Amino acid sequence: MTLKLRFIKAINRTRIKDIALKANVSIGTVDRVIHKRGEVSEATRDKILAIINEMEYQPNILASTLASKKTFSFALLFPEPISSESYWNKPMIGVRKAFQEIQQYGVNINIHLFKQTDTKTFKREAELILNNNPEGVVLAPFFSRESKEFIAELKKRDIPYVFIDSNIKDSDKLSYIGQDSFQSGTLAAKLLDYSIPENATILVLQFAKEKDNMNHLVQREKGFYEYFNSSSAKKELITLEITDPTDITCQTKITDLLKSNAGIKGIFVTNSQVYLLARLIEEANLSGIRVIGHDLINENIHFLKKGIIDFLICQRPEEQGYRSIITLFENLVLKKEVNNENYTSIDIITKENLDYYK
Amino acid sequence: MTLKLRFIKAINRTRIKDIALKANVSIGTVDRVIHKRGEVSEATRDKILAIINEMEYQPNILASTLASKKTFSFALLFPEPISSESYWNKPMIGVRKAFQEIQQYGVNINIHLFKQTDTKTFKREAELILNNNPEGVVLAPFFSRESKEFIAELKKRDIPYVFIDSNIKDSDKLSYIGQDSFQSGTLAAKLLDYSIPENATILVLQFAKEKDNMNHLVQREKGFYEYFNSSSAKKELITLEITDPTDITCQTKITDLLKSNAGIKGIFVTNSQVYLLARLIEEANLSGIRVIGHDLINENIHFLKKGIIDFLICQRPEEQGYRSIITLFENLVLKKEVNNENYTSIDIITKENLDYYK
DNA sequence: CTTAGTGTCGTGTACGAACACGGAAAAAGT
DNA sequence: ACTTTTTCCGTGTTCGTACACGACACTAAG
């Protein structure tokens, strides 16, 4: 049995000439119709359009971008990574990969970084971007108010923008690339619920220092509680907020709680700093506690392999970076329709499947 | 703060002319060197190569494929899907997506399907492929002996081939795209181990009728047992092989076992037909049993949503199909190096994160 | 010394689309 | 009726690369 996918190139090759011939006009005229450059009488335009339609003509993008000297400039507005191990390095990897693939098409990418603790740097970089007048923008709308000002200006200039990591509703965005934090919280809840005995206690740990994605943390927590509210699972929940996880008094506070309350069989850390907790557990030599946290960063991987962290819930930051650029590319260069919302998968990672998420 | 990714197009534009000028030769000569077409004296060739190297010249693939009238023909050799819901439809989706993206580059894809129950159809289709003399081949080496004959011939003709779904070791393949079945079994074991109380019993169900991926099933089972052998988990395991899951006597056999043995708190089905078991559980109105199976097919999704199936372990068949084609493309058209082994991630899917795996 | 053969290399055209330029025809102004 | 403006359309060149064709020099055979 043999199937074939229909192949266009050979047909496409002299397509425009064919159209011109059929319509009894010159190639230039067909050209003007395709590019909506006016300067064509309605009668001939309609005739040509009909023929184009009938022949199912599709332009050859290779030749098109080759001939048009037009170059596209994309701007990126990301938080500056705190360290070389930090979360925001990962989307950048995807961005670079995307760049490698599409630079042939004349796409240029300018990267702008702002400090997560300083709205002024955000404003300054946003203005720099506007000065460059790029064809498209990818931004992490970290500061809500400043982001809204920025996208208002982008909208005025008809520059499409893609949100990454967090979303702003009702904003005429081209697309949103990111994860559903609420569901990721619910998922964490289910895993913990399944993993520990009935009537055990769960500790929810909120490390609040790293302001990275504040909104996400809240959503995750909400999702987590929502699971236990709406299910029949009998678990007791304790919440603990640690403002400075590197502070020793805070650390002993956690250790003391764990030692004094033997009923705690599961711990949920709402952000990527679960490795700090894992370190405490290791030092205190505690066992029998299921630990779940977020993000595939090296410190976490270390404790996942050791078996101290049981589950990591991850988004795919590299893929998000990649997709954000590709989305702009598809819309602007290839002139395709793109999805308005693009949730990346919520991955569950354990020691066993870790190797296959790289 | 502003970073820039280096942008090549503007430089590339007149690159070849520059090289020709610097080497004091004609464009045609530079051309011959780049395409290794001989016909160039060693002295000039070395001189040109040095300059090319120094200038870090990279050809513009757009222009290249545009100019070369060469078309690439890829052949696919897949098992025929048993039904429209069957597993082997999914890689095809990815193949079609890849085709959409790369047909611009002059790539044509011929799809050949064989019957999973009939080695003769495999041989016949393999021969049809050889007659077409394609530039590259993607195959699922379903029948070991026949596959080896086939790839021996491909090797003789210097046609690169990519394995999908299962692998043949030491075969000079261009790449393998698929999952690690053993690890997926280990992962299933861990999830079940975590999800049920100590000292409970686990039932391993082997539906053997669908011969789909026999080797995979064995590997999965091995991985599953390996987990319990090497860990301190105290669980009793029962294995049951069902030759015909649609047969009523077999079905009652399962139901009776579950009813009589209340210690069974977890069930592992080694293939995608876990929905058959779920149906039985629903009909018998049993509860408190954790069920884990494989593959994101519609029937399984149905019971996952209902909460009867707790976990599905999935490979990404669409991505596998997509990647297999893209790998050939990158190697043959873009002349890139490609990975020799390409394990796709082993995803854990629950009711909670289901929506983000599409 | 001529001629055929071989090894080198330069020139010209093509791939499919984009767009500038300028010419012809039609419409508007004087 | 003649000029000017506007509308419409054909021609020619370009993008960066591939490759056919033929030119030229050099060697070996006659």
Side-chain angles (χ1 to χ4, degrees), chain A residues 298-313:
Chain A
N298 279 347
E299 286 100 331
N300 290 346
I301 291 175
H302 173 76
F303 288 109
L304 190 69
K305 280 184 180 163
K306 274 196 171 176
I308 295 176
I309 297 176
D310 294 282
F311 296 104
L312 283 175
I313 294 188

Side-chain angles (χ1 to χ4, degrees), chain B residues 202-237:
Chain B
I202 293 175
L203 173 64
V204 179
L205 259 184
Q206 187 97 259
F207 289 134
K209 186 193 179 190
E210 187 182 289
K211 292 270 200 284
D212 228 279
N213 306 326
M214 285 291 282
N215 190 35
H216 277 195
L217 302 195
V218 175
Q219 287 296 320
R220 278 177 191 162
E221 212 186 344
K222 269 193 192 168
F224 193 84
Y225 285 117
E226 169 64 20
Y227 175 87
F228 287 105
N229 284 339
S230 66
S231 92
S232 57
K234 294 167 207 142
K235 302 279 147 65
E236 197 190 331
L237 299 184

Side-chain angles (χ1 to χ4, degrees), chain A residues 273-341:
Chain A
Q273 294 184 297
V274 59
Y275 61 91
L276 292 174
L277 169 75
R279 210 173 281 157
L280 293 180
I281 291 181
E282 190 178 37
E283 281 164 6
N285 209 13
L286 295 165
S287 67
I289 303 178
R290 303 286 188 223
V291 177
I292 186 165
H294 284 92
D295 294 335
L296 208 57
I297 61 179
N298 279 347
E299 286 100 331
N300 290 346
I301 291 175
H302 173 76
F303 288 109
L304 190 69
K305 280 184 180 163
K306 274 196 171 176
I308 295 176
I309 297 176
D310 294 282
F311 296 104
L312 283 175
I313 294 188
C314 307
Q315 39 186 333
R316 307 194 162 201
E318 295 92 345
E319 192 181 315
Q320 287 175 18
Y322 178 82
R323 288 254 278 271
S324 62
I325 295 294
I326 294 294
T327 301
L328 271 185
F329 172 72
E330 288 188 335
N331 180 255
L332 288 170
V333 183
L334 306 186
K335 278 148 199 161
K336 275 195 202 171
E337 291 272 318
V338 297
N339 288 336
N340 186 252
E341 283 187 333

Side-chain angles (χ1 to χ4, degrees), chain A residues 234-287:
Chain A
K234 291 169 210 140
K235 302 278 147 64
E236 194 190 331
L237 299 184
I238 305 176
T239 306
L240 194 59
E241 269 191 41
I242 303 292
T243 42
D244 187 0
T246 55
D247 184 36
I248 298 181
T249 50
C250 288
Q251 295 184 354
T252 49
K253 202 166 150 191
I254 299 175
T255 324
D256 288 348
L257 178 65
L258 292 180
K259 281 182 179 165
S260 65
N261 193 336
I264 296 178
K265 294 292 182 197
I267 304 179
F268 173 51
V269 181
T270 54
N271 69 3
S272 63
Q273 294 184 297
V274 59
Y275 61 91
L276 292 174
L277 169 75
R279 210 173 281 157
L280 293 180
I281 291 181
E282 190 178 37
E283 281 164 6
N285 209 13
L286 295 165
S287 67

Side-chain angles (χ1 to χ4, degrees), chain B residues 242-262:
Chain B
I242 304 291
T243 42
D244 187 359
T246 54
D247 184 37
I248 298 181
T249 49
C250 287
Q251 295 184 354
T252 50
K253 201 167 151 192
I254 298 174
T255 325
D256 288 348
L257 178 65
L258 292 179
K259 281 183 180 163
S260 65
N261 192 337

Side-chain angles (χ1 to χ4, degrees), chain B residues 13 35 57 59-60 64 67:
Chain B
R13 207 178 283 287
H35 293 89
Y57 166 79
N60 182 329
S64 169

